[in-house]
Amino acid sequence: MNLYSIYALHMSAVTTSVEKNREQLEDLSQWVRVRMRQNSGNLWTLEASELKRIAEYPDQIPAALIQYLNHVSNDQLYDDIYYTLDGDRVCSPESGVMRFDSAVGSFVPAEAVPEQVCRGIGMVSTRMNVLASTYKWTAYMMTDSYFTFNFVFFNPDQAETIAYLSMPINRDYLISGVIGPEIFRRFSNSEESGVLVYLDDWTRGQVLISNAESNQDISRDHDFISRFSGVLEDWNLKMRYIETPEVAASKASLVRNIGVLAVTVFTLIFSLIFLYLAAKRDRELSMRQASFLANVTHELKTPLAVMQAAGENLADGRVTTPERLQSYGQHIFTETMRLRKMIEKLLDVARNEAGQLTLKPALLQPEKLVKEHLAEQQGFLNQNNVQLDLSIEDDVPKIMVDQNSFETILGNLIENAVKYSPEEKYLGIRVYSDTKKVFVEVQDHGTGIPPESQKLIFDKFYRVEETLTARTKGHGLGLSIVKNLTERNGGAISLNSTYGKGSTFTLSFPIAANISFSNLNGQKINEEESKPEYV
Ligand code: ADP
């Protein structure tokens, strides 16, 4: 795009904006006309006979007319409503002009008829006489320079005028309450928009209202004009550029441009923050992975080194006494178990990430699950002098879980409880339920977890950077496996921990009777497979 085409684009924007201003002005005068004759649509359906009857029965007003009368009575734009049949001496004291009394909903004889009304009626009557031979509708509407809004009801078949409805207009309200605010709403302040719009009474040579600070000194020339044809014949709406259309167009788009700029800047800032957070998270993760790798390498090498040394000594035949043989065997066994545990954890994570972890949910009794698992862990608990506090509520309902998962979950939580309790090795296990869920709580009196770490400990590779954690062997994988398996089995895990005092992890699983057999965490469950294993 070259400079010339930018200029051409700008000029076409200016032309469009000038065109738009002209349309806005037309639209405004049209709006005023519609506002003045609001709700008068049904008057065109009135019949001559219905209208004539009103003179005799002033409280029997046809539905279409009463609807309109009620509307006008509530409209601040009109001061009063007068009705009179056509006759030789319309508006004379004998001619029977009536006034609509909105409190009783009927016409009452008008005590005094404002001169303004009679002049209005006179004017539309004259106009109708001129139109009579060609007019095809039952109502004719017009305002006059005396500020009455009038309807003539007409019988086109007989070319006969039937009656008049005349309403004095509240001129001040029309100017300051209707047209003024609308000029302002559409064109804003002339200082801001560079466009002056004003209501001009051309018969009196007077500016009635405008979008300028003051109406005084407004010269009455214009660039565009719009008329209120058929309604306010004495008035026009006029528009003048007080700045060149180019400047006015730029001013008009200023607010929009600022808006677009603000949104762009906001989006940019938001994207930068997002990028920063994503980069920070990535960096933390790679740091954790690096420390995990170092940790794992060490963890893998240590048992291997122990086993290698023990194996060498045994192979050399240097170890002969039964006690030493037993101790070497014990070493090899313990290290093999450690290695195995670790490899299993790594495999769990890898399988889960590859989407290859298959679950076999079955109906199981939490009490039996927990007790059997504790029996298996007895050796480990004794070795560590753990003080076990087990409490299981009677008749805890069955849950639908994969047994291997449950064991891994509980195993990890118990291992952590023991591992992170350097002094008092207390292990509280509670099993209970409410109407919807079964809860399994694992509590310790260990180090506890600092509040800022509590959300993070379920993340892969995360370890609390406190001295004890640094000294305690681990890889930051256990809790991420626990959370993942719990959720895949339809459960949830929560943590309540006080730093320095201890932690309680609470698992919750839905009661089996409350869940459908068809789906558990996206897995189809075969009913055969889900047969209760404990009865
Ligand atoms: P790790 O192999 O490091 O134990 P986990 O994923 O099991 O990995 O735990 C993540 C971290 O959460 C641990 O490094 C430890 O800082 C903290 N943690 C877990 N369980 C406990 C607990 N019962 N008491 C105190 N801290 C705990």
Side-chain angles (χ1 to χ4, degrees):
M1 188 178 275
N2 59 32
L3 253 178
Y4 179 74
S5 51
I6 292 176
Y7 177 73
L9 201 69
H10 171 69
M11 285 320 287
S12 83
V14 170
T15 317
T16 317
S17 151
V18 168
E19 214 29 65
K20 197 174 134 217
N21 286 150
R22 191 202 297 270
E23 276 169 21
Q24 271 180 311
L25 199 71
E26 278 303 324
D27 196 60
L28 175 56
S29 55
Q30 179 60 18
W31 180 86
V32 173
R33 293 168 69 206
V34 170
R35 168 70 182 82
M36 293 194 68
R37 44 174 211 246
Q38 235 170 26
N39 273 18
S40 64
N42 285 347
L43 298 184
W44 270 257
T45 64
L46 288 167
E47 304 246 339
S49 58
E50 288 180 316
L51 291 161
K52 283 183 183 164
R53 229 175 37 168
I54 294 175
E56 220 177 310
Y57 305 103
D59 55 345
Q60 291 180 14
I61 304 172
L65 184 56
I66 192 87
Q67 198 192 355
Y68 181 67
L69 296 174
N70 284 330
H71 164 74
V72 171
S73 318
N74 292 324
D75 189 345
Q76 225 182 317
L77 188 56
Y78 300 106
D79 286 337
D80 238 326
I81 308 169
Y82 294 91
Y83 180 80
T84 181
L85 288 184
D86 189 38
D88 290 343
R89 306 181 58 190
V90 160
C91 245
S92 69
E94 311 85 55
S95 66
V97 179
M98 295 186 284
R99 191 176 61 78
F100 181 67
D101 185 341
S102 60
V104 288
S106 84
F107 286 111
V108 294
E111 278 150 24
V113 184
E115 196 189 332
Q116 176 194 15
V117 169
C118 288
R119 287 199 188 177
I121 291 175
M123 198 152 170
V124 281
S125 146
T126 314
R127 184 72 176 265
M128 201 65 217
N129 286 342
V130 175
L131 291 175
S133 56
T134 52
Y135 201 67
K136 297 192 194 71
W137 291 276
T138 51
Y140 175 78
M141 172 201 75
M142 114 180 234
T143 55
D144 56 76
S145 33
Y146 310 108
F147 281 95
T148 52
F149 187 61
N150 307 285
F151 281 94
V152 183
F153 296 113
F154 185 69
N155 182 351
D157 298 335
Q158 315 284 323
E160 167 200 24
T161 304
I162 301 158
Y164 303 95
L165 195 64
S166 181
M167 295 158 290
I169 295 170
N170 181 338
R171 189 172 177 276
D172 291 342
Y173 179 71
L174 177 60
I175 296 170
S176 324
V178 177
I179 301 180
E182 204 56 27
I183 292 180
F184 211 82
R185 195 176 72 76
R186 290 167 189 243
F187 294 91
S188 74
N189 191 310
S190 63
E191 300 270 298
E192 272 170 33
S193 61
V195 172
L196 172 72
V197 178
Y198 60 97
L199 181 65
D200 183 44
D201 184 338
W202 60 271
T203 54
R204 293 167 189 81
Q206 201 183 355
V207 172
L208 300 172
I209 198 148
S210 73
N211 65 340
E213 292 289 314
S214 143
N215 295 339
Q216 285 168 359
D217 311 326
I218 291 181
S219 94
R220 291 178 47 248
D221 49 351
H222 62 270
D223 291 304
F224 301 128
I225 180 166
S226 178
R227 293 172 224 285
F228 304 100
S229 331
V231 185
L232 297 162
E233 304 280 0
D234 292 1
W235 293 356
N236 289 321
L237 268 176
K238 290 182 175 171
M239 201 199 99
R240 178 155 51 84
Y241 286 106
I242 44 179
E243 315 240 30
T244 61
E246 286 83 350
V247 176
S250 313
K251 277 197 170 175
S253 56
L254 187 68
V255 174
R256 200 181 50 217
N257 289 344
I258 290 176
V260 170
L261 195 71
V263 171
T264 314
V265 170
F266 181 76
T267 315
L268 204 70
I269 293 175
F270 184 77
S271 313
L272 281 176
I273 293 175
F274 179 77
L275 277 177
Y276 169 75
L277 290 178
K280 191 169 164 240
R281 205 183 150 77
D282 275 358
R283 189 162 167 271
E284 277 170 10
L285 191 68
S286 59
M287 275 170 65
R288 274 193 240 149
Q289 270 170 333
S291 98
F292 164 76
L293 203 65
N295 208 345
V296 161
T297 315
H298 173 76
E299 289 278 299
L300 285 173
K301 276 183 167 173
T302 316
L304 280 177
V306 173
M307 285 191 286
Q308 190 184 355
E312 261 178 5
N313 287 345
L314 288 175
D316 286 353
R318 270 185 270 157
V319 184
T320 48
T321 60
E323 293 81 24
R324 290 196 63 201
L325 273 173
Q326 200 184 5
S327 140
Y328 272 75
Q330 188 62 49
H331 269 318
I332 294 175
F333 178 72
T334 318
E335 294 305 318
T336 318
M337 288 310 287
R338 227 173 99 184
L339 208 56
R340 193 179 148 178
K341 259 191 182 175
M342 197 176 135
I343 291 171
E344 270 169 6
K345 269 192 190 176
L346 285 172
L347 285 177
D348 272 352
V349 174
R351 265 193 229 113
N352 179 42
E353 293 202 337
Q356 287 174 353
L357 201 67
T358 36
L359 306 182
K360 286 193 176 169
L363 267 180
L364 303 173
Q365 264 181 2
E367 178 179 351
K368 288 215 168 193
L369 276 176
V370 170
K371 280 188 174 164
E372 286 200 358
H373 184 76
L374 286 174
E376 261 176 41
Q377 296 254 13
Q378 198 58 52
F380 169 73
L381 299 179
N382 288 345
Q383 236 172 33
N384 287 284
N385 289 329
V386 174
Q387 177 205 337
L388 177 66
D389 175 9
L390 178 66
S391 123
I392 301 181
E393 218 177 57
D394 289 341
D395 302 326
V396 174
K398 287 179 182 169
I399 52 177
M400 174 71 83
V401 288
D402 168 56
Q403 187 168 355
N404 283 338
S405 304
F406 192 87
E407 281 172 5
T408 311
I409 295 167
L410 204 57
N412 272 293
L413 292 179
I414 292 177
E415 188 188 322
N416 280 353
V418 176
K419 209 160 66 168
Y420 297 108
S421 298
E423 281 145 24
E424 185 196 348
K425 296 224 184 273
Y426 167 88
L427 174 66
I429 298 199
R430 263 168 287 283
V431 182
Y432 56 93
S433 63
D434 65 11
T435 52
K436 291 184 180 157
K437 290 178 182 164
V438 169
F439 300 90
V440 180
E441 240 177 56
V442 178
Q443 190 186 23
D444 63 58
H445 291 171
T447 58
I449 300 161
E452 66 277 9
S453 297
Q454 292 186 6
K455 261 196 196 151
L456 302 167
I457 53 166
F458 296 101
D459 286 359
K460 230 178 348 174
F461 308 129
Y462 184 85
R463 305 200 74 211
V464 179
E465 282 174 26
E466 301 298 327
T467 36
L468 181 84
T469 305
R471 275 189 275 118
T472 311
K473 285 179 180 151
H475 330 98
L477 289 176
L479 285 182
S480 100
I481 296 173
V482 166
K483 184 163 191 283
N484 187 274
L485 284 180
T486 308
E487 285 172 359
R488 288 199 56 188
N489 277 277
I493 182 161
S494 65
L495 164 68
N496 188 347
S497 181
T498 310
Y499 190 43
K501 288 209 164 154
S503 314
T504 307
F505 288 86
T506 308
L507 300 164
S508 64
F509 295 97
I511 290 174
N514 293 342
I515 50 174
S516 82
F517 266 70
S518 61
N519 191 321
L520 184 70
N521 239 352
Q523 302 226 345
K524 281 270 173 221
I525 298 166
N526 181 337
E527 281 214 34
E528 270 307 301
E529 278 180 9
S530 353
K531 284 238 170 78
E533 293 191 0
Y534 304 99
V535 186

